[in-house]
Amino acid sequence: MTRPGKIVCVGRNYREHAKELGNDVPSAPLLFLKPPSAVLAPGAAIVMPRVSQRVDFEGEIGVVVGAALRKATPAQCAAGIRGIAALNDVTARDLQKSDGQWTRGKGFDTFCPIGPLWEGHPPLDAITLVTRVNGVEKQRAISAEMVFPIPDLLSYISHIMTLEPGDVVATGTPAGVGPLQAGDLVEVELVGYSAVRNPVEADA
Ligand code: ZN
């Protein structure tokens, strides 16, 4: 996949995940950015930074934008999607907490594995997401469980910043997040659409 101009991420968009980290569900989408330099190809290694003691996987549905969307309605946004791709919002959880804002904890190189783009218009409320570590299932959810549905998320974002073709929106992770260790193999699958599998290694 070509490198996106920006990666807009959504925090706490599944009730059970907000709860597992002791947070309330936000009343409006909670947004943050990951740098495009964090993008990692399928099969390449996620590198655990030495400054973090806790690097988590977060399986997510990545929505790839296909048209310029500015102050767009949810229906316009749904029509303006190019496709979807499996995405892993890798997070240094300890740094996310200690910094109070999320740029460092979310922004390391290799912290955004993205799978092959599935081009088209899937049923946006019926995408099944599964995350496995070393073949063991850790997360399973369906997109209907999102607090803010995908077209609403894109519309909300488009009222803040123009979404441009190739931009990626990471739509939030469901419950079940957990730590990665060097030597692990982590896989995020959007069943029937896209999957991304990456080994994990220590920083040499
Ligand atoms: Zn996330």
Side-chain angles (χ1 to χ4, degrees), residues 58-197:
E58 291 192 358
E60 306 200 5
I61 299 168
V63 174
V64 181
V65 174
L69 298 170
R70 181 169 181 271
K71 298 186 178 175
T73 64
Q76 289 167 334
C77 290
I81 288 170
R82 178 178 296 165
I84 58 172
L87 187 149
N88 192 344
D89 175 21
V90 180
T91 302
R93 193 71 68 200
D94 49 351
L95 305 184
Q96 179 192 23
K97 285 194 179 125
S98 63
D99 285 3
Q101 54 81 33
W102 301 4
T103 303
R104 187 167 65 131
K106 297 281 192 178
F108 284 93
D109 289 355
T110 76
F111 270 25
C112 194
I114 303 181
L117 168 68
W118 182 90
E119 263 192 272
H121 292 269
L124 292 175
D125 58 353
I127 302 163
T128 298
L129 164 73
V130 180
T131 306
R132 299 179 195 88
V133 178
N134 304 325
V136 178
E137 186 172 304
K138 299 290 186 180
Q139 295 182 292
R140 176 177 285 268
I142 184 155
S143 51
E145 297 166 12
M146 287 182 181
V147 177
F148 302 103
I150 288 170
D152 298 48
L153 285 177
L154 269 60
S155 175
Y156 181 83
I157 296 164
S158 82
H159 284 77
I160 303 161
M161 61 190 89
T162 302
L163 287 168
E164 298 171 322
D167 285 354
V168 172
V169 177
T171 55
T173 200
V177 298
L180 294 168
Q181 312 293 342
D184 283 347
L185 186 68
V186 59
E187 177 184 27
V188 179
E189 181 183 8
L190 308 182
V191 179
Y193 298 105
S194 177
V196 64
R197 195 177 298 112

